[in-house]
Protein backbone atom coordinates (compact mmCIF):
# COMPACT_ATOMS: atom_id res chain seq x y z
CA UNK A 1 0.00 0.00 0.00
CA UNK A 2 2.80 2.41 0.90
CA UNK A 3 4.77 1.54 -2.23
CA UNK A 4 1.75 2.08 -4.49
CA UNK A 5 1.21 5.51 -2.88
CA UNK A 6 4.84 6.51 -3.49
CA UNK A 7 4.65 5.40 -7.12
CA UNK A 8 1.54 7.49 -7.61
CA UNK A 9 3.28 10.54 -6.07
CA UNK A 10 6.25 10.07 -8.42
CA UNK A 11 3.97 9.79 -11.43
CA UNK A 12 2.33 13.08 -10.48
CA UNK A 13 5.70 14.76 -9.90
CA UNK A 14 5.13 15.11 -6.17
CA UNK A 15 8.08 14.66 -3.78
CA UNK A 16 7.32 12.21 -0.99
CA UNK A 17 7.68 13.74 2.49
CA UNK A 18 8.35 10.40 4.24
CA UNK A 19 11.16 8.14 2.97
CA UNK A 20 10.52 4.46 2.33
CA UNK A 21 12.86 3.50 5.18
CA UNK A 22 10.34 4.86 7.69
CA UNK A 23 7.55 2.56 6.55
CA UNK A 24 6.61 0.10 9.32
CA UNK A 25 6.28 -3.59 8.40
CA UNK A 26 3.24 -5.49 9.61
CA UNK A 27 3.52 -6.50 13.27
CA UNK A 28 4.57 -10.10 13.82
CA UNK A 29 2.17 -11.59 16.44
CA UNK A 30 4.89 -13.66 18.09
CA UNK A 31 7.30 -10.71 18.30
CA UNK A 32 4.53 -8.49 19.63
CA UNK A 33 3.63 -11.08 22.27
CA UNK A 34 7.26 -11.41 23.37
CA UNK A 35 7.81 -7.64 23.50
CA UNK A 36 4.64 -7.01 25.51
CA UNK A 37 5.52 -9.89 27.84
CA UNK A 38 8.91 -8.31 28.50
CA UNK A 39 7.30 -4.94 29.23
CA UNK A 40 4.83 -6.61 31.57
CA UNK A 41 7.72 -8.42 33.25
CA UNK A 42 9.38 -5.07 33.91
CA UNK A 43 6.14 -3.69 35.35
CA UNK A 44 5.82 -6.79 37.52
CA UNK A 45 9.36 -6.26 38.82
CA UNK A 46 8.69 -2.58 39.52
CA UNK A 47 5.65 -3.58 41.57
CA UNK A 48 7.50 -6.31 43.47
CA UNK A 49 10.42 -4.01 44.25
CA UNK A 50 8.09 -1.31 45.58
CA UNK A 51 6.29 -3.89 47.72
CA UNK A 52 9.61 -5.16 49.12
CA UNK A 53 10.74 -1.59 49.78
CA UNK A 54 7.46 -0.86 51.56
CA UNK A 55 7.86 -3.90 53.78
CA UNK A 56 11.38 -2.75 54.68
CA UNK A 57 10.20 0.78 55.43
CA UNK A 58 7.35 -0.52 57.57
CA UNK A 59 9.87 -2.63 59.49
CA UNK A 60 12.02 0.47 59.99
CA UNK A 61 8.93 2.37 61.17
CA UNK A 62 8.09 -0.36 63.69
CA UNK A 63 11.67 -0.30 65.01
CA UNK A 64 11.70 3.50 65.22
CA UNK A 65 8.42 3.49 67.14
CA UNK A 66 9.81 0.86 69.52
CA UNK A 67 12.96 2.94 69.99
CA UNK A 68 10.83 6.01 70.62
CA UNK A 69 8.78 4.22 73.28
CA UNK A 70 11.98 3.01 74.99
CA UNK A 71 13.49 6.50 74.78
CA UNK A 72 10.38 8.00 76.39
CA UNK A 73 10.66 5.56 79.29
CA UNK A 74 14.35 6.43 79.63
CA UNK A 75 13.44 10.11 79.65
CA UNK A 76 11.00 9.58 82.51
CA UNK A 77 13.53 7.54 84.47
CA UNK A 78 16.26 10.09 83.81
CA UNK A 79 14.00 12.96 84.93
CA UNK A 80 13.25 11.12 88.20
CA UNK A 81 16.98 10.47 88.72
CA UNK A 82 17.75 14.15 88.13
CA UNK A 83 15.16 15.22 90.73
CA UNK A 84 16.53 12.76 93.29
CA UNK A 85 20.14 13.78 92.68
CA UNK A 86 19.23 17.46 92.82
CA UNK A 87 17.43 16.94 96.15
CA UNK A 88 20.52 15.25 97.60
CA UNK A 89 22.78 18.07 96.45
CA UNK A 90 20.38 20.69 97.82
CA UNK A 91 20.32 18.93 101.18
CA UNK A 92 24.10 18.84 101.46
CA UNK A 93 24.29 22.48 100.37
CA UNK A 94 21.82 23.49 103.08
CA UNK A 95 23.73 21.55 105.73
CA UNK A 96 26.98 23.21 104.69
CA UNK A 97 25.41 26.65 104.84
CA UNK A 98 24.04 25.99 108.35
CA UNK A 99 27.36 24.58 109.63
CA UNK A 100 25.87 21.16 110.17
CA UNK A 101 27.38 17.96 108.97
CA UNK A 102 29.96 19.77 106.85
CA UNK A 103 31.70 21.65 109.71
CA UNK A 104 35.23 22.61 108.89
CA UNK A 105 38.13 20.42 109.64
CA UNK A 106 39.60 23.24 111.79
CA UNK A 107 36.60 23.17 114.17
CA UNK A 108 37.13 19.44 114.46
CA UNK A 109 40.72 20.05 115.54
CA UNK A 110 39.71 22.72 118.10
CA UNK A 111 37.07 20.51 119.69
CA UNK A 112 39.13 17.33 119.83
CA UNK A 113 40.05 16.15 123.31
CA UNK A 114 42.61 13.67 122.07
CA UNK A 115 44.49 12.66 118.97
CA UNK A 116 42.30 9.59 118.60
CA UNK A 117 39.14 11.70 118.88
CA UNK A 118 40.55 14.07 116.26
CA UNK A 119 41.25 11.21 113.87
CA UNK A 120 37.75 9.82 114.39
CA UNK A 121 36.16 13.19 113.60
CA UNK A 122 38.33 13.74 110.55
CA UNK A 123 37.38 10.29 109.26
CA UNK A 124 33.67 11.06 109.69
CA UNK A 125 34.06 14.37 107.86
CA UNK A 126 35.81 12.52 104.99
CA UNK A 127 32.82 10.22 104.66
CA UNK A 128 30.49 13.24 104.51
CA UNK A 129 32.69 14.88 101.88
CA UNK A 130 32.59 11.67 99.85
CA UNK A 131 28.81 11.68 100.13
CA UNK A 132 28.70 15.27 98.91
CA UNK A 133 30.95 14.40 95.95
CA UNK A 134 28.81 11.33 95.26
CA UNK A 135 25.66 13.44 95.19
CA UNK A 136 27.25 15.89 92.74
CA UNK A 137 28.52 13.07 90.55
CA UNK A 138 25.08 11.46 90.61
CA UNK A 139 23.48 14.71 89.53
CA UNK A 140 25.99 15.15 86.73
CA UNK A 141 25.38 11.59 85.51
CA UNK A 142 21.61 12.00 85.76
CA UNK A 143 21.70 15.21 83.72
CA UNK A 144 23.86 13.53 81.06
CA UNK A 145 21.48 10.56 80.95
CA UNK A 146 18.52 12.90 80.55
CA UNK A 147 20.24 14.71 77.67
CA UNK A 148 21.00 11.39 75.98
CA UNK A 149 17.41 10.19 76.45
CA UNK A 150 16.11 13.38 74.85
CA UNK A 151 18.52 12.98 71.94
CA UNK A 152 17.50 9.32 71.50
CA UNK A 153 13.82 10.27 71.52
CA UNK A 154 14.37 13.02 68.97
CA UNK A 155 16.36 10.68 66.73
CA UNK A 156 13.66 8.00 66.96
CA UNK A 157 10.99 10.57 66.13
CA UNK A 158 12.94 11.70 63.06
CA UNK A 159 13.50 8.11 61.87
CA UNK A 160 9.83 7.33 62.36
CA UNK A 161 8.81 10.42 60.39
CA UNK A 162 11.21 9.52 57.56
CA UNK A 163 9.94 5.94 57.45
CA UNK A 164 6.30 7.11 57.48
CA UNK A 165 6.91 9.53 54.61
CA UNK A 166 8.77 6.88 52.61
CA UNK A 167 6.00 4.35 53.25
CA UNK A 168 3.39 6.82 52.04
CA UNK A 169 5.35 7.47 48.84
CA UNK A 170 5.86 3.75 48.25
CA UNK A 171 2.17 3.06 48.81
CA UNK A 172 1.35 5.51 46.03
CA UNK A 173 4.12 4.04 43.87
CA UNK A 174 2.64 0.58 44.38
CA UNK A 175 -0.79 1.84 43.33
CA UNK A 176 0.66 3.32 40.14
CA UNK A 177 2.81 0.26 39.40
CA UNK A 178 -0.18 -2.03 39.92
CA UNK A 179 -2.21 0.02 37.45
CA UNK A 180 0.65 -0.15 34.92
CA UNK A 181 1.01 -3.90 35.38
CA UNK A 182 -2.72 -4.49 35.00
CA UNK A 183 -2.68 -2.54 31.72
CA UNK A 184 0.32 -4.50 30.44
CA UNK A 185 -1.32 -7.81 31.36
CA UNK A 186 -4.37 -6.87 29.29
CA UNK A 187 -2.09 -6.14 26.32
CA UNK A 188 -0.22 -9.44 26.73
CA UNK A 189 -3.46 -11.40 26.87
CA UNK A 190 -4.71 -9.69 23.72
CA UNK A 191 -1.42 -10.44 21.96
CA UNK A 192 -1.64 -14.04 23.17
CA UNK A 193 -5.06 -14.41 21.57
CA UNK A 194 -3.64 -13.19 18.26
CA UNK A 195 -1.29 -16.19 18.14
CA UNK A 196 -2.41 -19.24 16.22
CA UNK A 197 -4.21 -22.01 18.13
CA UNK A 198 -1.35 -24.38 17.31
CA UNK A 199 1.21 -21.94 18.79
CA UNK A 200 -0.84 -21.46 21.94
CA UNK A 201 -1.27 -25.21 22.33
CA UNK A 202 2.48 -25.76 21.99
CA UNK A 203 3.20 -23.05 24.55
CA UNK A 204 0.81 -24.72 26.99
CA UNK A 205 2.57 -28.09 26.85
CA UNK A 206 5.52 -29.30 28.96
CA UNK A 207 8.29 -30.22 26.54
CA UNK A 208 11.10 -31.39 28.83
CA UNK A 209 10.41 -34.06 31.45
CA UNK A 210 14.03 -35.09 31.86
CA UNK A 211 15.89 -35.59 35.16
CA UNK A 212 18.57 -33.19 36.31
CA UNK A 213 20.82 -33.30 39.38
CA UNK A 214 22.62 -30.53 41.21
CA UNK A 215 25.41 -30.50 43.80
CA UNK A 216 24.43 -32.29 47.03
CA UNK A 217 22.72 -29.99 49.52
CA UNK A 218 20.47 -26.97 49.32
CA UNK A 219 21.12 -26.22 45.63
CA UNK A 220 19.90 -29.66 44.57
CA UNK A 221 16.95 -29.51 46.96
CA UNK A 222 15.90 -26.19 45.40
CA UNK A 223 16.48 -27.56 41.90
CA UNK A 224 14.28 -30.61 42.46
CA UNK A 225 11.57 -28.41 44.02
CA UNK A 226 11.55 -26.19 40.93
CA UNK A 227 11.55 -29.14 38.52
CA UNK A 228 8.62 -30.67 40.40
CA UNK A 229 6.57 -27.61 39.42
CA UNK A 230 6.85 -28.21 35.67
CA UNK A 231 3.42 -27.74 34.14
CA UNK A 232 2.35 -25.08 36.66
CA UNK A 233 0.54 -22.05 35.27
CA UNK A 234 2.16 -18.62 35.09
CA UNK A 235 0.51 -15.95 37.22
CA UNK A 236 1.76 -12.39 37.71
CA UNK A 237 3.26 -11.80 41.19
CA UNK A 238 2.43 -15.38 42.28
CA UNK A 239 4.76 -17.47 44.44
CA UNK A 240 3.14 -20.88 44.56
CA UNK A 241 2.28 -23.46 45.37
CA UNK A 242 0.43 -24.01 42.07
CA UNK A 243 1.01 -20.74 40.15
CA UNK A 244 4.21 -18.72 39.81
CA UNK A 245 5.90 -15.76 38.26
CA UNK A 246 9.64 -16.07 37.58
CA UNK A 247 11.07 -14.89 40.90
CA UNK A 248 8.15 -16.50 42.73
CA UNK A 249 9.30 -19.90 41.43
CA UNK A 250 12.95 -19.45 42.47
CA UNK A 251 11.88 -18.04 45.84
CA UNK A 252 9.52 -20.98 46.43
CA UNK A 253 12.15 -23.52 45.37
CA UNK A 254 14.88 -22.17 47.63
CA UNK A 255 12.42 -21.86 50.51
CA UNK A 256 11.97 -25.64 50.20
CA UNK A 257 15.73 -25.84 50.82
CA UNK A 258 15.46 -23.63 53.91
CA UNK A 259 16.83 -20.51 52.23
CA UNK A 260 14.85 -17.26 52.12
CA UNK A 261 14.93 -15.17 48.93
CA UNK A 262 13.03 -11.94 48.20
CA UNK A 263 10.20 -12.04 45.68
CA UNK A 264 12.04 -9.98 43.09
CA UNK A 265 14.51 -11.01 40.39
CA UNK A 266 16.34 -7.68 40.76
CA UNK A 267 16.80 -8.24 44.48
CA UNK A 268 17.77 -11.90 43.99
CA UNK A 269 20.50 -10.67 41.63
CA UNK A 270 22.19 -8.98 44.61
CA UNK A 271 22.43 -12.23 46.62
CA UNK A 272 25.00 -15.00 46.70
CA UNK A 273 28.05 -14.55 44.51
CA UNK A 274 28.36 -13.90 40.78
CA UNK A 275 29.44 -16.76 38.51
CA UNK A 276 30.35 -16.69 34.84
CA UNK A 277 28.25 -18.55 32.30
CA UNK A 278 31.06 -21.07 31.83
CA UNK A 279 31.05 -21.84 35.57
CA UNK A 280 27.30 -22.45 35.92
CA UNK A 281 26.17 -25.32 38.14
CA UNK A 282 22.63 -26.67 38.60
CA UNK A 283 20.82 -24.54 41.18
CA UNK A 284 22.47 -21.28 40.10
CA UNK A 285 20.11 -18.45 39.23
CA UNK A 286 20.35 -16.90 35.75
CA UNK A 287 19.06 -13.38 35.02
CA UNK A 288 17.80 -11.40 32.03
CA UNK A 289 17.41 -7.67 31.41
CA UNK A 290 16.26 -5.52 28.49
CA UNK A 291 19.58 -5.76 26.68
CA UNK A 292 21.02 -2.64 28.30
CA UNK A 293 23.23 -4.53 30.76
CA UNK A 294 21.68 -2.51 33.59
CA UNK A 295 20.77 -4.57 36.72
CA UNK A 296 17.91 -2.17 37.45
CA UNK A 297 16.32 -3.35 34.17
CA UNK A 298 16.33 -7.05 35.13
CA UNK A 299 12.89 -8.53 34.53
CA UNK A 300 13.39 -12.32 34.54
CA UNK A 301 15.15 -15.08 36.50
CA UNK A 302 15.43 -18.82 36.00
CA UNK A 303 17.30 -21.68 37.66
CA UNK A 304 20.09 -23.45 35.80
CA UNK A 305 19.60 -27.22 35.48
CA UNK A 306 22.67 -28.12 33.38
CA UNK A 307 23.29 -28.75 29.68
CA UNK A 308 22.72 -25.08 28.84
CA UNK A 309 19.16 -25.19 30.16
CA UNK A 310 17.11 -23.61 32.92
CA UNK A 311 13.77 -24.22 34.61
CA UNK A 312 11.65 -21.09 34.79
CA UNK A 313 8.21 -19.55 34.79
CA UNK A 314 8.34 -17.54 31.53
CA UNK A 315 5.21 -15.42 31.11
CA UNK A 316 1.45 -15.41 30.55
CA UNK A 317 0.37 -18.33 28.37
CA UNK A 318 3.41 -20.51 29.11
CA UNK A 319 3.98 -23.19 31.71
CA UNK A 320 6.86 -23.77 34.10
CA UNK A 321 9.25 -25.90 32.06
CA UNK A 322 12.88 -26.53 31.15
CA UNK A 323 14.21 -24.50 28.23
CA UNK A 324 17.45 -23.02 26.87
CA UNK A 325 19.22 -20.38 28.95
CA UNK A 326 19.39 -18.33 25.76
CA UNK A 327 16.02 -17.03 26.90
CA UNK A 328 15.17 -13.79 25.13
CA UNK A 329 18.82 -13.23 24.31
CA UNK A 330 19.30 -10.61 27.03
CA UNK A 331 21.29 -12.71 29.51
CA UNK A 332 22.96 -10.40 32.05
CA UNK A 333 24.55 -12.76 34.59
CA UNK A 334 24.19 -15.49 37.19
CA UNK A 335 24.35 -15.89 40.97
CA UNK A 336 25.25 -18.88 43.13
CA UNK A 337 23.05 -18.73 46.21
CA UNK A 338 24.83 -21.51 48.14
CA UNK A 339 28.28 -23.04 47.93
Amino acid sequence: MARRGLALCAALGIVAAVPVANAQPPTDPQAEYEQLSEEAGKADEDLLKAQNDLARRNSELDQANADLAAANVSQQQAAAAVEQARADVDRFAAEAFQGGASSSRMSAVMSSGSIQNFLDKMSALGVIADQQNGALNALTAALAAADQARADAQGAQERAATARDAAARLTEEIRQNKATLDARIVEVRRALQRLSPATRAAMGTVKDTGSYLGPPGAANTALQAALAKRGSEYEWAAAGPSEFDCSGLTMWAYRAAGISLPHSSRMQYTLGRPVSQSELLPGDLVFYDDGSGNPSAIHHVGMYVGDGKMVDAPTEGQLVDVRSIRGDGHYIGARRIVG
Side-chain angles (χ1 to χ4, degrees):
M1 184 70 170
R3 289 180 179 175
R4 287 200 297 271
L6 288 171
L8 178 60
C9 289
L12 296 175
I14 301 172
V15 178
V18 181
V20 176
N22 285 348
Q24 296 297 321
T27 301
D28 174 53
Q30 183 71 34
E32 179 189 33
Y33 164 71
E34 292 174 358
Q35 178 181 342
L36 290 172
S37 294
E38 180 177 323
E39 291 174 0
K42 292 176 185 176
D44 188 28
E45 277 300 316
D46 290 340
L47 175 60
L48 292 172
K49 182 179 183 303
Q51 289 173 335
N52 277 286
D53 289 345
L54 177 60
R56 177 172 55 83
R57 284 298 191 176
N58 282 334
S59 178
E60 291 174 359
L61 176 58
D62 290 342
Q63 184 60 57
N65 285 334
D67 291 344
L68 178 58
N72 286 335
V73 171
S74 295
Q75 270 192 291
Q76 295 172 358
Q77 294 173 340
V82 167
E83 291 305 313
Q84 181 60 53
R86 184 171 285 125
D88 291 341
V89 170
D90 289 345
R91 177 169 56 82
F92 280 116
E95 289 174 351
F97 181 76
Q98 295 169 3
S102 58
S103 299
S104 69
R105 295 173 184 265
M106 181 57 69
S107 64
V109 174
M110 297 298 292
S111 61
S112 297
S114 66
I115 292 178
Q116 186 58 49
N117 192 22
F118 167 75
L119 293 175
D120 290 341
K121 287 188 176 183
M122 290 298 294
S123 176
L125 288 170
V127 170
I128 293 172
D130 289 342
Q131 290 175 339
Q132 290 174 322
N133 290 334
L136 289 170
N137 290 337
L139 177 58
T140 301
L143 289 170
D147 287 342
Q148 185 60 53
R150 281 191 292 272
D152 290 344
Q154 182 177 354
Q157 286 176 328
E158 292 173 353
R159 290 198 307 277
T162 298
R164 273 194 301 270
D165 291 345
R169 289 193 299 272
L170 286 167
T171 299
E172 175 59 20
E173 184 178 329
I174 287 172
R175 187 192 67 77
Q176 294 176 357
N177 289 345
K178 181 66 167 61
T180 299
L181 175 59
D182 289 344
R184 293 289 183 270
I185 291 173
V186 169
E187 293 174 348
V188 171
R189 288 174 177 167
R190 287 174 179 167
L192 183 61
Q193 292 305 310
R194 286 192 283 272
L195 298 177
S196 69
T199 298
R200 292 201 302 272
M203 287 166 48
T205 303
V206 173
K207 298 178 179 61
D208 190 321
T209 59
S211 298
Y212 300 89
L213 290 176
N220 187 57
T221 300
L223 175 63
Q224 300 311 316
L227 289 170
K229 290 301 176 180
R230 281 178 287 192
S232 296
E233 297 278 351
Y234 184 93
E235 179 60 39
W236 304 98
S242 59
E243 297 176 326
F244 302 89
D245 68 359
C246 64
S247 59
L249 176 65
T250 52
M251 180 181 75
W252 187 90
Y254 264 100
R255 183 187 296 157
I259 296 173
S260 178
L261 300 182
H263 191 179
S264 163
S265 60
R266 292 174 194 168
M267 296 180 70
Q268 289 178 12
Y269 187 71
T270 67
L271 304 178
R273 66 180 181 87
V275 290
S276 67
Q277 194 166 336
S278 62
E279 297 174 318
L280 285 172
L281 293 176
D284 291 344
L285 300 185
V286 289
F287 298 86
Y288 301 82
D289 68 343
D290 60 357
S292 65
N294 184 353
S296 66
I298 287 173
H299 62 83
H300 188 66
V301 59
M303 184 182 296
Y304 188 66
V305 302
D307 298 332
K309 301 177 183 179
M310 66 178 173
V311 57
D312 71 337
T315 188
E316 178 95 7
Q318 300 183 48
L319 304 177
V320 173
D321 201 359
V322 172
R323 66 198 86 236
S324 169
I325 64 167
R326 185 189 66 80
D328 60 7
H330 295 158
Y331 178 94
I332 188 174
R335 291 277 169 165
R336 183 161 299 157
I337 302 302
V338 293

